[in-house]
Amino acid sequence: MMKLRWWRVDASEVAAVTAMGVWEAVLAGGGRRFLKRKDSDAGETGRALEELRSSLYNEMHSSEGAKRQQQRFCGPSVALTFNFAVAVGIIMANKMVMGSVGFKFPIALSLIHYAVAFVLMAILKTMSMLPVAPPSKSTPFSSLFALGAVMSLSTGLANNFPLFSVGFYQMAKIAVTPTIVVAEFMIFQKRVSSQKVITLAIVSFGVAVATVTDLEFNFFGAVVALAWIVPSAVNKILWSNLQQSGNWTALALMWKTTPVTIFFLLALMPLLDPPGLLLFDWNFRNSLAIIISALFGFLLQWSGALALGATSALSHVVLGQFKTIVIMLSGYLIFSSDPGITSICGAIVALGGMSVYTYLGLKESTTTGKKPPLAQKPKAAGDGEKPGLEHEDSV
């Protein structure tokens, strides 16, 4: 019995050894090749996933990839529509702030707009949702500093509307158009076709007839309004050029220039704002209205930057004039206001000129076969938009 038990054990061991030998034989043959192929497939899949992850990261976090995403999802029509809708919204929000809330400090309100925008962008950056900026060598710091400075001047001077009449302000806005034409020719040797020049003249004439009803002259107010024209034009030119000649996205450029703008607005506030800011009643209702206005301000600055990056400084000026005409006609058609037959005729002339300008722009881009901005060689500078208060100008 003992011998039989040991024999059985030896037989099981022999069977195990035999099975191991068969398995080794399988591995030595096709089975090993099979496992090797499986390992190879897993390695290739891993490499493909790693390459996909790397490409997605570069697409979202590199300047070139972020710029491509901005161009893909925010073309000219989307950017201009976005800017138009937000501009109408901020007019309503700021009328509430300046009217019912009684916040009579336009520079301080602009400062709050930019401060809130900077905080929002800092949150996006912390969440890795803010596109990185191009290499520092591609854009000198002087260009970014100049953009932030002219943006603060454009914002601060324009929002001091108590110093001059609305009619005088509208005349100053119209004067921005020829200023941009001259400045772009002097800085970038950029020429505008004679057809566009005539069309822009018709648009400006129509806007002037439609909106300029009071030209009350105040010397200090006139100086402020005239001093605003050049910074406003340069502001738009710089925003547009930096985005189109470099790989800047709207948010990345805002992130770099907003601290400079805040610094200069702090310097302008005691010079242009009336006293009494600290005595304002900062209750929950008033603070909430100001925060809502600031959120609209961030959206307006962003949408204006997107529009300037997708189109041009002149197109953005025409959009601003279109907003003015639409708001005036909306008041006439919806709220039964009576601007007068002369203003209505001027609005119709302006809208006709804007339609022709749009047609010429589309025709020009089709015939020239213009390459997307990323295919162009870097040049220099760019432009931005202000948060907009009662007068809703932006980047």
Side-chain angles (χ1 to χ4, degrees):
M1 292 295 293
M2 293 295 293
K3 289 182 179 180
L4 181 58
R5 184 182 300 170
W6 280 106
W7 167 251
R8 287 177 181 172
V9 172
D10 293 342
S12 62
E13 290 176 353
V14 170
V17 171
T18 305
M20 291 177 61
V22 173
W23 181 243
E24 288 179 357
V26 171
L27 288 179
R32 185 169 296 173
R33 288 194 299 271
F34 175 76
L35 289 179
K36 184 177 181 181
R37 185 166 60 248
K38 279 290 188 180
D39 292 341
S40 177
D41 291 345
E44 291 177 0
T45 303
R47 283 193 296 272
L49 290 175
E50 181 63 24
E51 290 175 0
L52 177 61
R53 187 194 68 80
S54 177
S55 64
L56 289 175
Y57 181 87
N58 290 334
E59 194 72 11
M60 295 300 297
H61 294 274
S62 69
S63 56
E64 294 83 0
K67 184 65 176 179
R68 280 193 295 270
Q69 292 297 321
Q70 178 175 303
Q71 291 173 336
R72 182 180 304 166
F73 295 107
C74 196
S77 58
V78 174
L80 292 173
T81 303
F82 180 30
N83 185 233
F84 176 80
V86 175
V88 174
I90 200 173
I91 291 175
M92 302 298 108
N94 284 327
K95 280 187 176 180
M96 179 177 65
V97 171
M98 307 294 283
S100 60
V101 172
F103 193 80
K104 305 295 184 182
F105 311 97
I107 307 301
L109 185 55
S110 299
L111 179 63
I112 294 171
H113 283 189
Y114 280 104
V116 170
F118 186 76
V119 171
L120 291 175
M121 287 187 289
I123 294 173
L124 291 176
K125 187 175 179 63
T126 303
M127 300 170 63
S128 298
M129 297 177 63
L130 187 73
V132 298
S136 58
K137 293 181 180 179
S138 65
T139 304
F141 175 75
S142 58
S143 297
L144 299 176
F145 185 85
L147 176 54
V150 297
M151 188 156 50
S152 64
L153 290 173
S154 174
T155 302
L157 295 177
N159 288 334
N160 248 285
F161 51 87
L163 298 177
F164 41 81
S165 67
V166 175
F168 204 94
Y169 174 76
Q170 291 295 344
M171 290 298 293
K173 285 180 67 176
I174 293 170
V176 172
T177 302
T179 305
I180 289 176
V181 174
V182 173
E184 287 190 324
F185 176 76
M186 293 177 63
I187 300 173
F188 305 113
Q189 306 301 313
K190 184 177 180 180
R191 298 178 181 273
V192 181
S193 66
S194 57
Q195 290 178 317
K196 278 193 172 183
V197 170
I198 295 173
T199 303
L200 289 171
I202 294 173
V203 171
S204 299
F205 173 77
V207 172
V209 172
T211 60
V212 180
T213 55
D214 60 328
L215 277 176
E216 298 177 7
F217 184 78
N218 176 296
F219 179 75
F220 182 68
V223 171
V224 171
L226 293 175
W228 166 77
I229 294 174
V230 173
S232 178
V234 173
N235 186 42
K236 295 178 187 297
I237 293 170
L238 291 179
W239 267 102
S240 181
N241 183 262
L242 265 181
Q243 290 186 80
Q244 294 184 12
S245 63
N247 286 331
W248 288 95
T249 61
L251 282 175
L253 199 52
M254 287 167 59
W255 172 253
K256 287 293 186 179
T257 57
T258 298
V260 180
T261 303
I262 291 175
F263 171 78
F264 278 97
L265 285 175
L266 281 171
L268 286 174
M269 190 167 61
L271 298 176
L272 298 176
D273 262 356
L277 176 63
L278 298 179
L279 300 177
F280 180 74
D281 184 12
W282 293 93
N283 58 43
F284 177 77
R285 172 181 172 272
N286 294 347
S287 301
L288 180 61
I290 292 172
I291 292 299
I292 291 174
S293 171
L295 293 176
F296 271 105
F298 166 69
L299 292 176
L300 184 63
Q301 186 187 359
W302 183 28
S303 63
L306 288 171
L308 283 162
T311 57
S312 65
L314 279 177
S315 296
H316 192 261
V317 169
V318 173
L319 175 66
Q321 294 170 336
F322 176 71
K323 288 184 283 189
T324 302
I325 295 300
V326 168
I327 291 170
M328 190 205 77
L329 291 178
S330 298
Y332 172 69
L333 297 173
I334 299 175
F335 302 105
S336 302
S337 63
D338 186 15
I341 187 64
T342 303
S343 294
I344 294 174
C345 291
I348 294 173
V349 171
L351 289 176
M354 293 171 191
S355 301
V356 175
Y357 179 84
T358 303
Y359 167 76
L360 291 174
L362 292 173
K363 181 180 177 182
E364 184 178 278
S365 62
T366 302
T367 54
T368 56
K370 191 165 64 174
K371 296 180 180 179
L374 283 178
Q376 298 175 356
K377 295 181 179 179
K379 297 177 185 174
D383 166 32
E385 171 152 16
K386 71 184 180 81
L389 299 184
E390 184 80 4
H391 306 304
E392 84 302 335
D393 279 357
S394 289
V395 176

